[in-house]
């Protein structure tokens, strides 16, 4: 093992329908971690686009076929060999158990054979580290909003390994709401980017009700149902206007929660990660809002916003530096209760 001055980790992500491997090196200077992404290879499983959602059994099978070529490609792109790796990080929770098992088993076997540390990573922590990778200057404390197909979480980031969950969704995740509304509009899965495209041609003519949730609680199912009822009430619905009106109310809702946290914690730095964060209109809207309300918004590079292996490698390095390797008995967990520290 090299000194702790520089570590190179392979990160593996198979929690849902992306098979991903990233290679990241990290230097620690005065307690500050600086990450360099050497490779970040993602294969999205298009097999699910026809079914309107991910079929777990099919996702697991696809991960098994893809994991070896994806890891080999990542090593080739990084110009590294297995022997150059100091550790292997992998998502162990939350996600589809069969999918997590593929990455977890592969990572354990590889780490064992190479005699290097194996480190389990919570997927959510990976999304937080996509912000640290994209913005080396971003130092805690800051607020983070993770919005994806599986998550809607507002967090207070106190340090690399200390986070507090302020709020989460009571029903659908933000991206899931986009996917379900997209399906109602006859768009393919996953539908977020199709909604965004349609919304560009529409106007906010329909006042869908903003979810009415206290404090940092989120909910999207009522809004989704409102769209469904509206669609049923129209003989010739204007899909562009529906997409635009839906997207606007979702983003107003997110900004309302952000503003609440900014005021309570007196923190004006907000990072937004996860698949929904690639929405260009959301980015523009936040930057505009930030100018008026003196909030600095941080969005990771597009390839870093959606699920990827580099963010898992980076979070894995932070876990490893804090508490060493994970036990080889680490099991996948579909749903995990959040603690103040996300590993
Ligand atoms: O982070 P991600 O790749 O995977 C999960 O962890 O879920 O996020 C995927 C989600 C999907 O729900 C997808 O519809 C949504 O991100 N998404 C978008 C956009 N692109 C992807 N939502 C809104 N606007 C977009 N442009
Ligand atoms: Zn994700």
């Amino acid at each position: 093992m090299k000194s702790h001055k520089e570590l190179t980790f392979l990160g593996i992500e198979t929690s849902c329908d992306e098979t991903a491997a990233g290679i990241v090196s990290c230097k620690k200077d005065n307690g500050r971690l600086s990450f360099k992404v050497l490779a970040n290879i993602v294969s999205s499983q298009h097999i699910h686009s026809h079914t309107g959602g991910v079929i777990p059994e099919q996702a697991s099978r696809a991960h098994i076929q893809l994991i070896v070529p994806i890891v080999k490609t990542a090593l080739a792109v990084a110009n590294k060999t297995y022997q150059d790796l100091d550790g292997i990080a992998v998502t162990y929770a939350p996600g589809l158990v069969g999918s997590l098992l593929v990455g977890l088993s592969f990572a354990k076997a590889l780490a064992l054979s190479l005699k290097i540390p194996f480190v389990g990573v919570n997927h959510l922590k990976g999304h937080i580290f996509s912000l640290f990778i994209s913005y080396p200057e971003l130092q805690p404390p800051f607020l983070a909003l993770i919005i994806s197909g599986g998550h809607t979480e507002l967090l207070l980031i106190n340090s690399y390994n200390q986070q507090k969950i302020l709020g989460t969704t009571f029903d659908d995740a933000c991206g899931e709401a986009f996917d379900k509304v997209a399906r109602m509009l006859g768009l393919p899965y996953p539908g977020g980017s199709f909604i965004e495209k349609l919304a560009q041609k529409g106007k906010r003519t329909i006042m869908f009700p903003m979810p009415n949730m206290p404090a940092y609680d989120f909910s999207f199912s009522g809004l989704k149902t409102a769209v469904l009822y509206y669609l049923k009430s129209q003989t010739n619905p204007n899909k562009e206007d529906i997409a635009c009106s839906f997207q606007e109310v979702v983003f107003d809702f997110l900004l309302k929660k952000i503003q609440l946290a900014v005021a309570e914690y007196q923190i004006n730095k907000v990072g937004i990660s996860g698949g929904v964060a690639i929405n260009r209109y959301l980015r523009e809207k936040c930057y505009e809002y930030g100018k008026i309300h003196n909030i600095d918004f941080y969005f990771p590079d597009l390839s870093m916003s959606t699920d990827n292996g580099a963010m898992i490698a980076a979070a894995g390095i932070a876990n490893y530096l804090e508490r060493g390797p994970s036990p080889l008995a680490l099991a996948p967990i579909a749903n995990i209760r959040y603690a103040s520290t996300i590993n």
Side-chain angles (χ1 to χ4, degrees), residues 123 127 148 307:
H123 183 79
H127 277 298
S148 72
D307 291 352

Side-chain angles (χ1 to χ4, degrees), residues 15-18 123 127 147-151 174-179 189-196 247 251 273-280 305-307:
S15 66
C16 190
D17 57 343
E18 262 93 26
H123 183 79
H127 277 298
I147 36 176
S148 72
H151 299 285
C174 185
E176 193 179 353
F178 270 84
D179 295 336
Y189 174 89
S193 59
F194 295 97
I195 296 254
E196 180 182 9
Q247 183 178 268
F251 296 159
S273 179
V276 182
I278 66 176
N279 188 297
R280 284 179 200 278
S305 291
T306 48
D307 291 352

